[in-house]
């Protein structure tokens, strides 16, 4: 059973999501919070496997919450669950560390399927969100053939962009420095990059950052 934290300011929707997750038998809801501030005061983050976050929260916005939580707990995966489908909201949330993006109004089966996919290391998206990402990718990658980065590789690129050195990245992810070096070599190959700065620039252009 996976442990999940929900951050959603619509009380009725939050209760319904909790009911769906609990009824599935696959999730234990560790907390259900109506604001980022309330969620950050909780002491359950270290126990969670996944968290579901709205973006349009009162006070601190969801993208900032995602950034803070993912920096503290890089192994915790995040499913964005929002009404917002505009490009700015989508890319802010994904750059902050969201790994999936599901629009509200999705069915309970779609929500559960998205979470299962997320926990397998995939990046589940509502079709319209996936289309936005594809369009952006096509705009920046015409003429170049890039291989997709894995979730772990994206996490490493984001930490490098934030100024972490290799040892700090290794400590954050709980792996050896040698493993980080191996990941970075693969990132360079996939992005056709020859330096950290170039890799970060290309990752940003492709929407990973």
């Amino acid at each position: 059973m996976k442990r999940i934290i929900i951050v959603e300011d619509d009380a009725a929707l939050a209760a319904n999501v909790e009911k769906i997750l609990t009824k599935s038998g696959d999730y234990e809801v560790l907390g259900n919070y109506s604001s980022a501030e309330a969620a950050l005061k909780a002491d359950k983050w270290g126990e969670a496997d996944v968290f579901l976050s709205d973006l349009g929260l009162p006070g601190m916005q969801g993208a900032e919450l995602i950034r803070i939580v993912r920096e503290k707990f890089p192994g915790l995966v995040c499913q964005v669950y929002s009404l917002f489908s505009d490009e700015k909201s989508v890319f802010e949330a994904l750059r902050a560390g969201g790994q999936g993006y599901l629009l509200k109004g999705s069915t309970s089966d779609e929500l559960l399927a998205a979470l299962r996919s997320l926990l397998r290391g995939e990046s589940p998206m509502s079709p319209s969100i996936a289309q936005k990402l594809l369009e952006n990718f096509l705009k920046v990658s015409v003429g170049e053939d890039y291989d997709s980065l894995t979730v772990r590789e994206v996490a490493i690129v984001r930490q490098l962009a934030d100024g972490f050195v290799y040892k700090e990245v290794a400590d954050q992810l709980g792996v050896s420095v040698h493993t980080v070096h191996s990941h970075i070599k693969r990132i360079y190959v996939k992005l056709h990059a020859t330096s950290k700065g170039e890799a970060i620039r290309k990752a940003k252009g492709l929407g990973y950052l």
Side-chain angles (χ1 to χ4, degrees), residues 107-169:
T107 67
S108 56
D109 286 343
E110 287 170 338
L111 174 59
L112 292 171
L115 288 171
R116 286 194 296 269
S117 174
L118 186 74
L119 289 162
R120 289 196 301 267
E122 299 167 0
S123 298
M125 307 275 174
S126 290
S128 62
I129 301 301
Q131 182 65 31
K132 287 184 189 297
L133 295 180
L134 177 60
E135 289 171 356
N136 185 74
F137 175 83
L138 291 174
K139 283 191 293 187
V140 299
S141 62
V142 172
E144 291 198 67
D145 181 21
Y146 295 106
D147 289 327
S148 298
L149 299 185
T150 65
V151 171
R152 175 55 60 89
E153 288 165 352
V154 171
I156 289 173
V157 170
R158 286 172 174 165
Q159 289 172 319
L160 293 178
D162 287 339
F164 290 103
V165 298
Y166 291 178
K167 185 178 186 307
E168 290 172 325
V169 173

Side-chain angles (χ1 to χ4, degrees), residues 17-69:
V17 169
E18 181 168 352
K19 182 179 178 181
I20 291 168
L21 297 178
T22 302
K23 187 177 179 181
S24 75
D26 295 328
Y27 301 94
E28 175 189 356
V29 177
L30 297 180
N32 197 333
Y33 305 100
S34 61
S35 71
E37 289 82 0
L40 289 173
K41 291 178 182 177
D43 59 359
K44 299 288 187 180
W45 291 102
E47 303 172 32
D49 301 296
V50 58
F51 78 107
L52 186 77
S53 183
D54 191 4
L55 296 181
L57 299 170
M60 181 189 295
Q61 294 296 285
E64 180 64 9
L65 170 66
I66 293 168
R67 185 190 66 77
I68 291 171
V69 171

